[in-house]
Amino acid sequence: MSAPLDIRTEGGVQLWTIDRPEVGNAITGKDVIAAFESAIDAANQDNEIRAIILTGAGKIFSAGGNVKEMADRLGMFGLAAIDQRRAYVDGIQRIPRALARLEVPLIAAVNGAAIGAGCDLAMMCDIRIASERASFAESFVQLGLIPGDGGTWFLPPAIGYARAAEMTFTGERIDAATALEWGLVNRVVRHDDLLEQARVLADRIAVNPPHALRMAKRLLQESRAGSLESTLSLAAAMQPLAHHDSEHDRRIAKWRSV
């Protein structure tokens, strides 16, 4: 059996592919969750990695949960309510927590449907590029469920409360063009060009110093939930580290020689 998350590295860019097309690239399995955590920790430890692209194998980005397991009451879906609560905390909710500590810029290359937790997974990324064939749905209510993986935290800042409410309360899909109009994705590209265009963007990011990229990402994350004062304080603490980085010296010297 292949690894649930296929990881390939080229230069300063990694490509992560959710490789479970037989179950719609569902991300609720313990092996998938552990694979994400392992990949995140490894990337954080490798200063040569400057950008990461996340995509799905086959025709779907991710269907989120395994609906067949829900229907058959398998695994966590067969547990008592109090035990299911713990299963969410110890299961799918480990992914947003792990991605929150990922220091490297993360680009979602959404190659197809991003449904439920799959939509939320795309929203956990820093940047989203969509294939023209992509679609997005916060579909939980259609199954009598709620976003259990943090979707109600990730979606509103991207598209505004009213549009997030529309997606959450109807559970209906929006196509790639609507996602672009709403600001859910940065751009829409031809399906066959998706990974190439994601790589072009990743390369544009990867030319920059790794420590500056990681600190800049941390400041962006702080701005989502922190105050202006906390963001300024963190920036004041981080900036001297950047000033004393040899990469800063090299680039300043290059600038002065122009």
Side-chain angles (χ1 to χ4, degrees):
M1 181 180 292
S2 61
L5 191 64
D6 180 67
I7 300 174
R8 304 188 182 189
T9 305
E10 184 179 339
V13 177
Q14 279 192 336
L15 174 64
W16 296 358
T17 304
I18 309 168
D19 195 11
R20 306 183 75 206
E22 71 283 357
V23 291
N25 294 326
I27 56 172
T28 49
K30 291 182 179 179
D31 56 341
V32 184
I33 295 166
F36 267 100
E37 290 177 324
S38 177
I40 288 163
D41 291 339
N44 283 346
Q45 292 296 317
D46 187 351
N47 287 329
E48 295 303 312
I49 303 302
R50 305 182 186 202
I52 298 169
I53 300 167
L54 174 64
T55 194
K59 298 180 179 181
I60 294 177
F61 177 73
S62 175
N66 190 323
V67 179
K68 186 178 186 305
E69 288 186 353
M70 293 183 199
D72 295 339
R73 300 289 184 178
L74 297 176
M76 66 171 285
F77 305 113
L79 298 175
I82 193 69
D83 296 320
Q84 279 191 340
R85 176 185 178 277
R86 176 50 55 187
Y88 269 93
V89 173
D90 293 339
I92 185 66
Q93 291 185 355
R94 285 161 50 191
I95 290 182
R97 288 190 177 98
L99 285 173
R101 69 173 184 264
L102 176 62
E103 299 174 358
V104 182
L106 179 61
I107 302 166
V110 185
N111 54 300
I115 306 299
C119 178
D120 295 339
L121 178 64
M123 302 309 301
M124 295 173 202
C125 300
D126 301 301
I127 299 170
R128 287 165 292 281
I129 298 178
S131 156
E132 60 197 346
R133 301 179 190 173
S135 60
F136 302 83
E138 197 74 350
S139 57
F140 299 94
V141 293
Q142 293 189 347
L143 295 176
L145 298 173
I146 60 171
D149 59 339
T152 54
W153 193 85
F154 289 102
L155 194 58
I159 63 175
Y161 178 86
R163 283 171 170 164
E166 181 176 342
M167 289 186 69
T168 302
F169 297 158
T170 67
E172 295 171 355
R173 292 196 192 201
I174 62 171
D175 60 18
T178 303
L180 179 63
E181 178 187 348
W182 287 9
L184 192 149
V185 301
N186 294 65
R187 63 187 64 112
V188 176
V189 300
R190 289 182 63 252
H191 181 76
D192 291 342
D193 296 337
L194 177 63
L195 287 183
E196 178 184 348
Q197 290 299 312
R199 178 65 198 231
V200 168
L201 177 56
D203 286 341
R204 287 169 52 204
I205 294 170
V207 298
N208 295 307
H211 297 302
L213 285 171
R214 294 178 184 219
M215 289 190 290
K217 174 168 176 171
R218 178 66 185 86
L219 285 170
L220 282 172
Q221 290 174 317
E222 177 67 19
S223 73
R224 296 185 65 168
S227 65
L228 172 61
E229 190 58 40
S230 67
T231 301
L232 291 172
S233 295
L234 187 58
M238 286 181 165
Q239 192 74 303
L241 300 177
H243 277 296
H244 287 271
D245 185 7
S246 61
E247 188 68 18
H248 169 68
D249 292 338
R250 186 181 70 81
R251 291 178 182 235
I252 284 292
K254 182 179 180 180
W255 174 83
R256 292 187 64 176
S257 66
V258 173

